[in-house]
Structures are given as structure tokens and as C-alpha cells.
């Protein structure tokens, strides 16, 4: 880009979910959006600008994927099938142990090609504090190197690793044949992981270091409240309060998580977080599929954010979040792909489409989620959740010039009415294959499906080589069936017994 900046014209410029401009252009300079005006106005005022004419395209803000995991090669490709969340988590411990650097590179390239220019990466910590630090630094370097804004939210399952109820892991393991008992003990219970004190220290240190960075952040990301000790959560709450840090955690994801809460020692994840002062505008809750009205109202009142993950909730048999209720209560909603998008292709258009079609209610007094609502979730909602809404999430002047140029050739078909709403059209029909190019900070990052400043073949080659070398740690189909039936039988008995004692 020369000194004079650049001008991009389009049939539509979608400034945000609720404002689009027809036959307009954007002026970009120094990596930021300058202004939006008709092409002729901009070309006469900025004669030195490089002009990019888009005849039949829409320009839209970069997407924010507000909850993501880097699983490396898709789990289905590794022979780990979708299933109910609880047995699925047990199975995922058998996924190939490839380097976090390579799986993050692969994930980042896929996201960027799909127009995602900001991500919350909820990763596991690691075996030791030193390895966890290296991992977090690598992730930030990879994302920011590609121009992607990021928040890294490391976490672990420090307790209740086999079933959600506290102190019950060994009683469940005791019901398994010896070889499986040993396997689960090794993969889930005794697996090396940084301890809570090291974790606290590391996140505090890195969060402070990256505090002034505009496009990267380090957050607390304890995997879920019931997987962390009350003591650790209290210490996180202290740190969050004193230093204004952010946190993301899974909550109310599955029915079993919901049913096994409601005990005197664990009311529900939101109540537990509220009790220690973590329920506030710096908190984002992933999933919230099973949260009841009281909980949602409480979340809204305290200003916490919710990130919905519709694909993942279908694939892991968690259910359908009541996002229309969340909207009615006024919760800021974001959209996440959870590393588990419906076709494992990280297509945010498909995710918005799914959200739009799932998140409706037959109750006439409930608001439906409109195309604008889900587009807002995938852009500004995520930016607000990340605390980056001043610099990303829309194409307003002064923000980072993160945008995609989407071809309308396929979408318009043989006929397109003049009065069509472009957001409605894109949410209903666009696919990532319609993306012509992606710009981050005003620079061309993806052109015709190719990432510009990274050798994608090399990343694919690396991941392929690591997969060939990785040891097979998966449960056999037979063993998985035993683990699953034991687990579900145990939950069933526990629920029956606890219902009798109420
Ligand atoms: Zn998740």
C-alpha cells in the first residue's frame, strides 16, 4: 500500500449488523478505516489512493470467533466421533499429541481464510508452567503474525475429571475393567499439568505483559467452575478484581452438568462465580445451554457476556441454547465455533445461519434472533466480549481495517430484488468459498483462498508429518463402548439416588 492509502468500492459496505451502505467505498489508511462515502467522493478527495473496484461484492467486517479450541486435525478425521459431551471428553484424550504450535498455525490459517480476524482461544495450560508459557507466547505470535486479534484463555480440568460430581472419580473408575481403569487414570487423573499456583502466577504475569497490546490479550480460562477448586476461583477473582482482567469459562454446557449441579456445595456455575465476585462485565460464559431464566436474568444484570456455540452444541448432544431469552434479558451475545463447527470447516456464515435457524421460539412474545442479531453476535458482540469493541468488530472510522470482500456472483443467482437486505442475504446464503479476499490492518491477508504471508503447504506438511509420528492413544471402539456405558449408568444411578434423597 502506498502512502496515499487505499479505496475499496462495493455494491454494499456492511458497516455493522444494523448499518449498510449501498454503492459505496471505504477509504483505508495506516491500517485503519478512514471513512465510508461514495467512490467518486473518495477518489476526488484522496487522489493518491490506490483504487480497488469491486463490481459485485460486499465488504463486511472481519468475524470474531469468540470461543475456539485448536484440536489440530479434525477429531473425526482422527477417528474420534461426535457423541454426548461426557464420554466424548474421555475419548478426546486419545487425540494425537501434536505440537500446539502446529495445531495453532493450522487453526489460524483456516480461520483467517474464512474471514475470522479475531479469536478467543480457550486452550489447555500444559504439563509445566514453562511449557504453558511457551504455548501461550507461540499462540500470540502466530495469531498476531497473521494479523488476527486474539485473547488466549488457558485453563485445565483440575478436579472431577471423570464425572462432574466432586470426589467421585475413583468410584466410577472402580467399575471399569482394570486395563481401562489404568488408561483413564493415566490420561485424565495423573496426567501432568501445571498446578493452580503456577497457573495463577503465569496468567497474571502474561496478562500484565500483554495489557498494553492492542490486538492480543491473556485471560484466565479455567475450563469450567466445577473443574477448578473454590480456592483457585477465589484467587482468580481477587486478581480479576484488582487488575481488571478478563476470564472465559464453559458453563451449563450439557444436561448432565446441569443436573449434577444444584448441590449445597455447588448450586450452579453462575451462582458459584457470583458468590466469589467473578460474575461481571469481564466474564464470558461459553454455551449456557441449560441456564434457566433466573440465571440468565442474573447474568444480564451483572453485565457478563455469553458466547453461543450452536454447531458444537448439536454435535456434542448438548442441546439448543435459549439465545432468544438471553437477548430478551439484554445479555451481550457472541458466536463461537468451539473448534467443532458443523462441517468441521470453521465457516462463520454457516454458524450464523445455524444460529439464526435454531435460535427461535414458538412463543410469540419471545423475540426471534434475526439475521442482524446473529451477524452482530459474529462481529460486534464478540468484539464487546473481548473488550476490543473500540478497535474491531465493525467498519467504523478509526477502527482496524479488518474486512472481507465477498463475491455476490453466486449468491445473486439469476435474479435479486433491489430491495434485498444484504445482511439477510449473506446470513441466508453466503459460504466462505464466496470470500474473494480478507484484509487485516488494511493489508491483504488472503486472496482467492490463499493466505498471503504464510506457506500454507508447509503448515499442512508439518501437521501431516507430526500425525504420522504421533502414537495412537485412542480407545478402541470396544473400550469406548464400555467406558461410555459405565459412565452413563453411573450418572443414571447417581441422579436416581440423589432424587430420592431430596
Ligand atoms: Zn469449548
Amino acid at each position: 500500500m502506498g502512502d496515499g492509502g487505499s479505496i475499496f468500492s462495493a455494491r454494499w459496505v456492511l458497516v455493522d449488523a444494523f448499518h449498510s451502505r449501498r454503492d459505496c467505498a471505504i477509504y483505508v489508511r495506516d491500517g485503519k478505516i478512514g471513512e465510508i462515502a461514495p467512490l467518486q467522493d473518495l477518489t476526488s478527495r484522496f487522489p493518491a489512493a490506490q483504487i480497488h473496484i469491486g463490481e459485485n461484492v460486499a465488504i463486511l467486517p472481519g468475524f470474531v470467533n469468540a470461543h475456539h479450541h485448536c484440536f489440530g486435525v479434525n477429531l473425526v478425521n482422527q477417528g474420534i466421533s461426535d457423541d454426548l459431551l461426557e464420554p466424548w471428553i474421555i475419548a478426546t484424550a486419545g487425540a494425537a499429541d501434536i505440537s500446539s504450535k502446529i495445531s495453532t498455525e493450522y487453526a489460524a490459517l483456516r480461520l483467517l481464510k474464512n474471514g475470522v480476524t479475531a479469536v478467543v482461544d480457550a486452550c489447555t495450560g500444559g504439563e509445566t508452567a514453562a511449557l504453558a508459557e511457551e504455548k501461550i507466547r507461540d499462540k500470540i505470535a502466530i495469531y498476531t503474525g497473521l494479523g488476527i486479534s486474539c485473547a488466549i484463555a488457558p485453563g485445565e480440568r483440575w478436579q472431577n475429571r471423570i464425572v462432574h460430581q466432586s470426589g467421585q472419580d475413583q468410584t466410577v473408575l472402580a467399575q471399569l475393567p482394570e486395563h481401562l481403569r489404568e488408561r483413564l487414570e493415566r490420561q485424565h487423573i495423573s496426567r501432568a499439568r501445571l498446578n493452580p499456583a503456577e497457573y495463577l502466577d503465569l496468567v497474571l504475569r502474561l496478562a500484565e505483559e500483554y495489557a498494553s497490546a492492542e490486538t492480543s490479550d491473556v485471560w484466565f480460562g479455567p475450563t469450567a467452575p466445577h473443574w477448578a477448586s473454590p480456592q483457585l476461583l477465589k484467587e482468580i477473582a481477587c486478581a480479576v478484581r484488582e487488575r481488571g482482567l478478563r476470564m472465559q469459562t464453559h458453563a451449563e454446557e450439557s444436561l448432565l452438568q446441569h443436573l449434577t449441579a444444584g448441590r449445597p456445595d455447588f448450586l450452579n456455575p453462575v451462582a458459584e462465580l457470583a458468590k466469589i465476585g467473578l460474575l461481571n462485565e469481564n466474564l464470558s460464559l461459553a454455551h449456557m445451554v441449560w441456564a434457566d431464566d433466573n440465571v440468565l436474568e442474573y447474568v444480564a444484570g451483572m453485565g457478563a457476556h455469553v458466547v453461543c456455540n450452536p454447531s458444537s452444541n448439536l454435535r456434542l448432544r448438548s442441546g439448543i441454547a435459549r439465545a432468544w431469552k438471553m437477548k430478551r434479558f439484554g445479555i451481550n451475545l457472541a458466536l463461537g465455533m468451539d473448534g467443532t463447527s458443523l462441517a468441521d470447516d470453521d465457516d462463520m456464515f454457516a454458524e450464523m445461519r445455524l444460529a439464526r435457524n435454531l435460535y427461535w421460539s414458538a412463543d410469540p412474545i419471545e423475540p426471534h434472533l434475526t439475521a442482524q442479531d446473529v451477524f452482530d453476535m459474529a462481529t460486534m458482540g464478540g468484539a464487546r466480549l473481548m473488550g476490543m469493541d473500540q478497535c474491531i468488530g465493525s467498519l467504523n472510522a478509526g477502527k482496524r481495517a479488518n474486512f472481507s470482500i465477498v463475491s455476490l456472483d453466486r449468491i445473486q443467482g439469476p435474479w435479486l430484488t433491489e430491495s434485498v437486505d444484504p445482511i439477510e442475504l449473506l446470513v441466508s446464503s453466503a459460504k466462505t468459498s464466496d470470500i474473494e479476499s480478507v484484509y487485516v490492518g488494511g493489508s491483504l491477508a488472503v486472496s482467492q483462498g490463499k493466505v498471503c504471508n504464510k506457506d500454507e503447504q508447509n503448515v499442512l506438511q508439518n501437521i501431516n508429518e507430526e500425525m504420522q509420528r504421533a502414537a495412537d492413544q485412542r480407545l478402541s471402539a470396544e473400550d469406548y463402548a464400555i467406558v461410555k456405558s459405565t459412565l452413563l449408568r453411573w450418572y443414571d444411578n447417581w441422579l436416581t439416588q440423589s432424587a430420592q434423597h431430596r
Side-chain angles (χ1 to χ4, degrees), residues 67-69 71 122 223 248 250 253 286-287 309 312 338-340:
H67 179 69
H68 199 59
H69 305 282
F71 289 124
T223 312
Q248 184 169 90
H250 296 75
E253 180 172 359
H287 303 295
N309 303 271
S312 164
D338 205 13
T340 317

Side-chain angles (χ1 to χ4, degrees), residues 109-334:
L109 289 183
R110 287 170 49 154
L111 292 174
L112 188 62
K113 282 163 63 162
N114 291 348
V116 174
T117 57
V119 65
V120 178
D121 183 328
C123 60
T124 53
E127 289 176 23
T128 65
L131 287 172
E133 177 166 353
E134 189 184 327
K135 179 182 199 170
I136 296 166
R137 288 188 188 283
D138 280 347
K139 280 181 177 288
I140 292 175
I142 290 163
Y143 288 126
T144 54
L146 287 167
I148 300 175
S149 306
C150 66
I152 313 299
E156 279 292 348
R157 290 186 298 131
W158 281 284
Q159 58 181 32
N160 311 332
R161 292 145 182 155
I162 306 294
V163 288
H164 304 311
Q165 292 89 331
S166 65
Q168 298 297 314
D169 284 353
Q170 291 304 332
T171 62
V172 185
L173 289 180
Q175 296 176 14
L176 287 167
E178 197 183 342
H179 75 286
L180 283 173
R181 197 155 64 226
E182 280 169 8
R183 172 81 81 98
L184 265 57
E185 175 79 42
R186 180 160 43 83
Q187 288 187 334
H188 294 272
I189 312 270
S190 59
R191 177 172 69 78
R193 42 170 75 77
L194 79 170
N195 67 44
E198 293 169 326
Y199 170 77
L200 200 68
D201 179 63
L202 177 67
V203 175
L204 277 178
R205 192 159 46 79
L206 293 181
E208 202 151 299
E209 186 181 323
Y210 287 97
S212 59
E214 192 183 297
T215 59
S216 54
D217 220 345
V218 177
W219 299 357
F220 285 105
T223 312
H226 72 283
W227 283 320
S229 71
Q231 184 54 34
L232 174 60
L233 291 175
K234 265 183 213 154
E235 289 175 53
I236 292 175
C238 264
V240 164
R241 217 175 16 247
E242 281 168 16
R243 307 174 199 217
L245 304 181
R246 286 180 182 269
M247 176 171 130
Q248 184 169 90
T249 191
H250 296 75
E252 298 273 17
E253 180 172 359
S254 72
L255 179 59
L256 284 173
Q257 282 176 6
H258 180 70
L259 292 175
T260 54
R263 314 183 301 264
D265 64 323
F266 193 86
L267 292 173
N268 65 61
V270 169
E272 293 300 317
L273 293 168
K275 217 158 57 184
I276 50 170
L278 273 169
L279 187 66
N280 56 42
E281 63 281 359
N282 287 337
L283 175 73
S284 51
L285 300 158
H287 303 295
M288 295 290 280
V289 176
W290 293 94
D292 64 25
D293 284 9
N294 290 335
V295 166
L296 292 180
E297 209 169 351
Y298 198 15
V299 168
M302 300 302 281
H305 313 258
V306 170
V307 45
C308 296
N309 303 271
S311 281
S312 164
N313 295 156
L314 292 182
R315 291 184 55 188
L316 305 181
R317 321 312 189 223
S318 297
I320 299 170
R322 289 150 69 244
W324 59 91
K325 275 273 186 206
M326 300 177 191
K327 179 190 167 187
R328 188 167 130 192
F329 288 128
I331 297 172
N332 176 52
L333 298 179

Side-chain angles (χ1 to χ4, degrees), residues 416-439:
L416 184 64
T417 180
E418 279 294 303
S419 61
V420 75
D421 175 341
I423 297 275
E424 183 80 38
L425 181 70
L426 289 172
V427 168
S428 301
S429 316
K431 300 177 177 189
T432 50
S433 51
D434 298 313
I435 294 177
E436 283 185 358
S437 49
V438 180
Y439 286 77

